[in-house]
Amino acid sequence: MKAAMIRNWGNIEIEDIKKPQIKEGEALIKVVYAGVCGSDLNVFLGNHPTAILPIVLGHEFSGILEEIKTDLPVDIKPGDKVVAQPLYSCGTCDACLESRDNVCNDLKLSGIHYNGCYAEYLVVPAHKVFKLPDNFDMKLAALTEPLAVAVHDVRRSQLKIGDSVLVLGGGPIGILIALVARLSGAREVVISEVNDYRIKFIEALGLNVINPTSEDFDKSIEALSDNKGFDVVYEVTGNQSALMSMTKLCKVGGTVVLTGMPKEPIPINILEGVMKEHKFVGVRIHSLINFKGAVDLLKKGTINKELNALITNEFSLDEIKDVMEFCFEDDQHFKVIIKI
């Protein structure tokens, strides 16, 4: 099969490799579309702390079920349109037994620890495959995984109806968190973003956005949060300025959700978090139940118009080198999709 393989960091090539064979408890998916994530770019550069070589990149995808081997009762069959949670978990550690398979002691991630979806075929755990309607848009379905991140983050925050929300960072995940938070009953959802292209895009989605470098930022924050700070602050950037400001922007007794992944340890204002008795919530990828939540949300179609708008560019698998170059050099795009 054709696959985008990394054998040396910073270099990716289309190769013909052996089509994978599945064993009991696994499913083989013929990939139709794959999405590009910031973590894919970090793996490509060799900046991911646990990624291995050689590796086929990618973890966001939609496809057609080719084959499945399982004794579990499932409602899918070869030929069905499907998506799948792109990770292996042991099922027996404390985290898995508590339905937190995303922090399994033996977690293995697609495109990082085993071959990913930038290929014609992908192997996934059989019980993590979800069927889509026959008429479902497969390009849109490729956004299931990042949407699952947002569903997971909002659910972990225990957002309540009527809460105010601030999202620090207006990239794809930040926007998805804002959309899910608004859908979950937040009375006010605001995104903080500095990039002019992203600001205009976010405004076009009907979301409030403010530039943290603007002179009236503090006044805007006060007005939008009733001069109290926000009930829930999602830090999505992983950069120092946002991490240093998140406790200031969160209200007394509020919740700070740590979504961004700093490249190195960064100081944060713990004293302010202590004095305001903040609840700090760490999040990682998504649990299986929250991946299912994303699938259900897509099937319902409530925010599919906004999700479609996030897909700004499409390439073919043969253009994988162009994909990497584009993602690094262009700052006026959101989700890049690869047609396999």
Side-chain angles (χ1 to χ4, degrees):
M1 69 173 183
K2 186 185 297 184
M5 179 72 74
I6 299 175
R7 296 190 182 276
N8 298 288
W9 303 126
N11 185 54
I12 191 166
E13 302 284 349
I14 298 297
E15 297 184 8
D16 285 322
I17 65 174
K18 186 177 180 181
K19 180 180 175 181
Q21 303 293 311
I22 63 171
K23 59 181 182 289
E24 184 64 28
E26 292 183 331
L28 182 66
I29 294 175
K30 181 175 176 57
V31 183
V32 177
Y33 283 101
V36 180
C37 174
S39 63
D40 297 325
L41 304 180
N42 283 325
V43 172
F44 170 75
L45 292 174
N47 292 336
H48 193 283
T50 63
I52 64 170
L53 289 178
I55 195 75
V56 175
L57 200 60
H59 62 276
E60 303 177 2
F61 65 91
S62 62
I64 306 297
L65 183 65
E66 182 89 356
E67 183 183 2
I68 187 167
K69 291 183 178 179
T70 180
D71 292 330
L72 297 173
V74 293
D75 65 346
I76 52 175
K77 63 184 184 306
D80 284 343
K81 292 181 176 181
V82 295
V83 291
Q85 188 194 32
L87 58 87
Y88 277 84
S89 46
C90 73
T92 58
C93 68
D94 285 353
C96 286
L97 293 175
E98 294 169 1
S99 298
R100 301 181 69 177
D101 51 298
N102 56 306
V103 287
C104 169
N105 290 340
D106 192 30
L107 188 68
K108 292 181 175 60
L109 305 172
S110 169
I112 298 175
H113 307 123
Y114 68 94
N115 282 342
C117 62
Y118 293 2
E120 292 180 294
Y121 293 93
L122 172 71
V123 176
V124 297
H127 69 286
K128 298 192 174 188
V129 181
F130 295 88
K131 181 180 178 179
L132 297 171
D134 293 340
N135 62 348
F136 202 84
D137 181 354
M138 295 298 278
K139 189 185 297 186
L140 179 61
L143 296 186
T144 306
E145 198 277 341
L147 179 59
V149 171
V151 171
H152 182 77
D153 292 3
V154 172
R155 287 181 173 177
R156 283 274 293 152
S157 73
Q158 297 183 332
L159 175 73
K160 299 184 295 296
I161 293 174
D163 277 353
S164 60
V165 165
L166 176 64
V167 181
L168 300 177
I173 295 299
I175 291 174
L176 289 170
I177 289 173
L179 291 170
V180 173
R182 184 171 67 178
L183 191 63
S184 300
R187 75 172 189 276
E188 184 75 67
V189 179
V190 182
I191 298 178
S192 173
E193 174 57 50
V194 300
N195 181 289
D196 287 338
Y197 168 77
R198 289 183 173 184
I199 288 172
K200 292 177 182 178
F201 186 93
I202 293 165
E203 288 175 338
L205 291 177
L207 292 164
N208 285 333
V209 57
I210 52 178
N211 189 330
T213 65
S214 64
E215 293 182 1
D216 61 348
F217 177 74
D218 289 338
K219 290 183 178 179
S220 298
I221 286 292
E222 290 174 2
L224 291 166
S225 66
D226 297 328
N227 203 26
K228 297 177 182 178
F230 291 84
D231 293 294
V232 185
V233 174
Y234 299 89
E235 199 299 298
V236 190
T237 69
N239 69 49
Q240 184 168 350
S241 61
L243 284 161
M244 286 297 293
S245 68
M246 62 188 183
T247 51
K248 175 185 176 182
L249 299 168
C250 189
K251 69 178 288 186
V252 171
T255 299
V256 175
V257 182
L258 302 168
T259 298
M261 297 184 67
K263 295 180 181 179
E264 57 188 20
I266 292 177
I268 64 173
N269 197 335
I270 289 293
L271 178 59
E272 189 167 31
V274 170
M275 298 301 290
K276 294 167 77 172
E277 205 167 62
H278 287 155
K279 178 182 179 182
F280 290 89
V281 178
V283 292
R284 185 183 183 190
I285 326 170
H286 39 71
S287 61
L288 183 58
I289 189 62
N290 290 333
F291 188 88
K292 179 184 181 297
V295 175
D296 292 341
L297 187 54
L298 277 169
K299 288 161 66 174
K300 182 70 174 178
T302 311
I303 57 171
N304 285 6
K305 180 181 178 181
E306 291 86 348
L307 296 179
N308 264 316
L310 280 173
I311 301 173
T312 53
N313 302 87
E314 181 178 338
F315 292 82
S316 70
L317 183 60
D318 289 331
E319 297 175 293
I320 190 63
K321 287 182 176 289
D322 295 332
V323 171
M324 296 292 109
E325 182 178 350
F326 175 81
C327 289
F328 285 115
E329 295 184 359
D330 185 273
D331 67 350
Q332 297 193 359
H333 70 273
F334 280 94
K335 289 305 296 184
V336 173
I337 296 293
I338 301 171
K339 179 72 170 67
I340 307 297

